[in-house]
Amino acid sequence: MRSLFVRFFSFVFLPSFLLRAPRGVVCSPAAVVCLDAVCRFDFVVSRRQTMTYYVHPSGTTFNVALSGSSLVVVGNSLRTADAYRDVIGTVVDPSHVITADGVPRDVIVVNGQFPGPTIEVLEGSQVVVRVTNSLLSEVTSIHWHGIYMRNNNFMDGVPYVTQCPILPGQSFVYRFRADPAGTHWYHSHHSNQRIDGAYGLLVVRPKSPAAPSPRPYHGVIVTDWYHRTGDAVALRCGTASAQYDGGRFTGETLRSPATRHRSPDGVELTSMSYVSSLVGGRGRHDPEALFPLAVYALDANRSAVFRLANAAADFSFEISVDRHRLDVASLDGHDIRPVTVDSVVVHPGETVDFEILADQSVSRYWLRARTLVSSGSDGTTGNGQEALAVLEYRGFVGDRKKDPQSTPRSCTESLPCTVFNCPFEYYPQKFNKSCRHVNVVSSRLDQSFLRSEYGLSSETPEEVFLNFAFVGGSSVNGRKFALPRGFDAVPSAWRRHIAPCNATLCGERPCRCTNIVSLPLNATIQMVLMNYQPVHDPANLPSHHAVHVHGHAFAVLALGFGMTRNASSVAPNPDIACDGPLCSSPRWTAGRRVPALNLADPPIKDTVLVPAQGYVVVRFRTDNPGRWMAHCHQELHFLKGMGVILEEGDPVDQPRPPSGLPSCGDFVGIDEVNDGEITKEPTTTPKQGVIVISLGIAAASAVGFLLLGIVIALTLLTAQRFVLTRPSRHAGRNTHTLDNSGVSASLL
């Protein structure tokens, strides 16, 4: 217990320059562990600059630059060589610098860390996190990705859906049960702040006596990375105004349709230009520059556990380790029967646990996070788009200033590589890779529990079709999601802030509204997550979408892929029929068999990749009343409208909000305040208004003299009962007094 206290005290109170890592090694930071019934944490969200040294004992900040393979302090117009000759040129411990990919830019940090600190708690414990917004001019919020928040949706962290955003200088205390066990993560759910680094891992240990003893692990976050802040990326990607140059994409952030990245199946991956990517908050924009990378230690002849989350705004990553195979053991925090593969694809929002056996010679090896971008005819992916980290066997005595010399396994026709969680049905033959899909693995949960918890025994589930696609832009069932303009904990009051969907108009053409799907409480829901675009649109080609459902995990029962027509075109899977170009009311195609469903031991997830022109069938029980977002986890897709609120239960079923939960929204003024008097806006024509005002003044004068006499008389009679303040310096305004009881009174 004492060691846990010391670790927590160090995390919260000690400056980071007193917590030194071995020189020249950037180790993954240890988790903050709390195994108490109630665990309290303080998060301070703020901005810092990369390539800046913040922890000099003097309190002065300095810029740093790369010199060879070391980071050194450099001068600038304020930090001149003459004034700081004892500091400039000195080597800095890389663990004290947020390098990212080596390019200076703003980042959002939690408690000064990027990524934010990993917190680890016991299943069922009460977690209390006070989040203080120290951003200068931005609101924020924190979503606890993967946590159920049972009967507690007000802690889910979605601005204007479950809470008001946290204003600069203010705090919000999140209080929730740590459920379920597994690898989860947290991140800002406001605008584009995830692009700027507002995220960290959340690990929940199982409390069951039958659970194995906790094992050491490496917590890893992979992400794509941009040299502009999230707001600037949004501006250049069309959420506010598209970045065009004479009618053409500049290519600065968006790529033209003809040059967009494609995956091996020919599907467009993203319209965004790849810039860089990070593992554990570190990478190299310039592959020749030896900026420090994250280093993870391995014990020879032992298994090492990795808990990994993809916090990317847009890109999926294929994770592999040179000369080592991966045993995938858990998806989104839910255990599966392990599968051994050469690599695993992790889509935005997903987490995965895997193990590797350190059975190679004592050395250093690359952990690779490659994008799925096809490089053309050579049968490889990534096209140089990869982030790297170092796995180092303990006992290694070589030169740590040199990069590992390991190479990835060669996939051959006779010995193809196995890839888990592919977003497409198969790789083209030239890749020499085979896919193992997420729906064919098995949950390790007891089958009776699966049947009751996820409604697998139900023969008549309520079926809901949701089409996450580029139909009239980023939309769900042709409706582009509009966030409410305010928040109120009372359901009827909250609805005043939304933009309702007109059922008739939204069924005929794309519309923007607060899309809400009502679900009955305590029912079995079979949700068909689709990605259908029945009409060809060259500016919005079909793409894969990673869909996350808040407040629930679901059983993945079936997976259907689009029908490949050629190297760059995919047609909708014929299992589902669309009613028109919007595909706003889809259904199973008449005469075709509903696909076989795994109702025995399906894997459990909270985020799943819906393939282009395909679908995923999932099932869950509506046992958690409240409002829950379901949305594409690719940041710009959601911001442009690919989201929907699942409203679970009737208003009377909604959980009671915590006392004092703030409300917020627009203020609509009806009256005009003018020099202390409230004046109604005129309702007559200007000419009539002059007559009305003149008569009003005359009448008011007569009444005024009468009232004045009465007031003077009353004042003389009651003068001893009032303590008068000084007369107001502003003529015509009321003067306030306090009577003996302390109640405010007014004198005319």
Side-chain angles (χ1 to χ4, degrees), residues 80-101:
T80 62
D82 290 339
Y84 294 93
R85 64 174 59 92
D86 59 329
V87 178
I88 292 176
T90 59
V91 176
V92 175
D93 188 333
S95 64
H96 297 160
V97 178
I98 299 172
T99 55
D101 68 349

Side-chain angles (χ1 to χ4, degrees), residues 299-338:
D299 290 310
N301 299 313
R302 293 187 180 181
S303 292
V305 178
F306 290 80
R307 298 178 182 263
L308 184 145
N310 183 355
D314 219 49
F315 285 85
S316 300
F317 289 97
E318 182 182 354
I319 309 299
S320 64
V321 176
D322 290 355
R323 296 180 61 179
H324 297 75
R325 302 198 79 192
L326 281 58
D327 293 325
V328 179
S330 182
L331 305 175
D332 296 342
H334 302 272
D335 290 348
I336 61 171
R337 299 189 186 282

Side-chain angles (χ1 to χ4, degrees), residues 404-704:
Q405 300 302 303
S406 64
T407 57
R409 183 195 153 191
S410 178
C411 304
T412 64
E413 186 175 359
S414 60
L415 192 61
C417 296
T418 303
V419 182
F420 180 67
N421 199 22
C422 301
F424 36 77
E425 191 168 9
Y426 55 83
Y427 277 90
Q429 187 174 357
K430 64 187 178 184
F431 285 85
N432 295 318
K433 290 183 175 181
S434 63
C435 288
R436 185 150 189 187
H437 297 111
V438 68
N439 63 308
V440 300
V441 297
S442 300
S443 171
R444 295 190 65 177
L445 292 172
D446 179 76
Q447 289 192 359
S448 61
F449 177 82
L450 284 170
R451 287 194 295 271
S452 61
E453 186 74 8
Y454 297 95
L456 302 186
S457 58
S458 173
E459 297 181 0
T460 57
E462 181 160 332
E463 201 156 45
V464 177
F465 287 80
L466 296 178
N467 188 29
F468 293 79
F470 297 137
V471 176
S474 294
S475 63
V476 178
N477 290 2
R479 301 177 179 188
K480 302 169 72 171
F481 183 75
L483 270 175
R485 297 176 63 87
F487 172 79
D488 197 293
V490 179
S492 59
W494 175 79
R495 285 188 174 272
R496 293 199 295 264
H497 300 293
I498 71 171
C501 297
N502 184 301
T504 301
L505 294 179
C506 291
E508 297 173 350
R509 60 178 181 268
C511 65
R512 180 175 290 278
C513 59
T514 308
N515 195 3
I516 301 173
V517 173
S518 297
L519 301 176
L521 195 62
N522 296 319
T524 296
I525 303 297
Q526 182 161 294
M527 192 167 286
V528 184
L529 305 174
M530 305 163 48
N531 183 359
Y532 276 44
Q533 290 180 231
V535 178
H536 178 71
D537 180 359
N540 288 290
L541 294 175
S543 181
H544 310 300
H545 298 299
V547 175
H548 172 52
V549 177
H550 291 217
H552 287 279
F554 45 74
V556 180
L557 307 184
L559 180 60
F561 291 96
M563 312 301 288
T564 302
R565 289 188 287 211
N566 53 54
S568 60
S569 179
V570 180
N573 188 301
D575 290 347
I576 296 176
C578 289
D579 58 341
L582 293 185
C583 201
S584 57
S585 299
R587 61 194 181 279
W588 294 112
T589 301
R592 292 183 66 91
R593 293 182 59 189
V594 176
L597 304 179
N598 178 6
L599 298 176
D601 54 0
I604 307 301
K605 288 178 61 62
D606 60 58
T607 306
V608 68
L609 194 285
V610 185
Q613 303 286 41
Y615 62 87
V616 181
V617 182
V618 304
R619 193 178 287 193
F620 61 93
R621 293 278 302 166
T622 52
D623 54 3
N624 197 6
R627 292 187 295 270
W628 307 105
M629 284 301 308
H631 61 93
C632 178
H633 220 275
Q634 286 150 283
E635 193 86 322
L636 297 178
H637 296 181
F638 176 43
L639 289 179
K640 290 183 177 183
M642 199 173 288
V644 60
I645 294 175
L646 305 179
E647 191 167 53
E648 203 164 320
D650 296 326
V652 296
D653 301 319
Q654 305 306 304
R656 179 181 298 177
S659 177
L661 186 69
S663 298
C664 51
D666 293 336
F667 171 72
V668 181
I670 300 175
D671 299 323
E672 180 182 345
V673 178
N674 181 20
D675 196 26
E677 297 180 1
I678 299 178
T679 305
K680 298 286 187 180
E681 294 186 12
T683 58
T684 59
T685 63
K687 185 176 180 180
Q688 293 171 327
V690 173
I691 299 173
V692 171
I693 293 173
S694 299
L695 293 174
I697 292 174
S701 298
V703 175

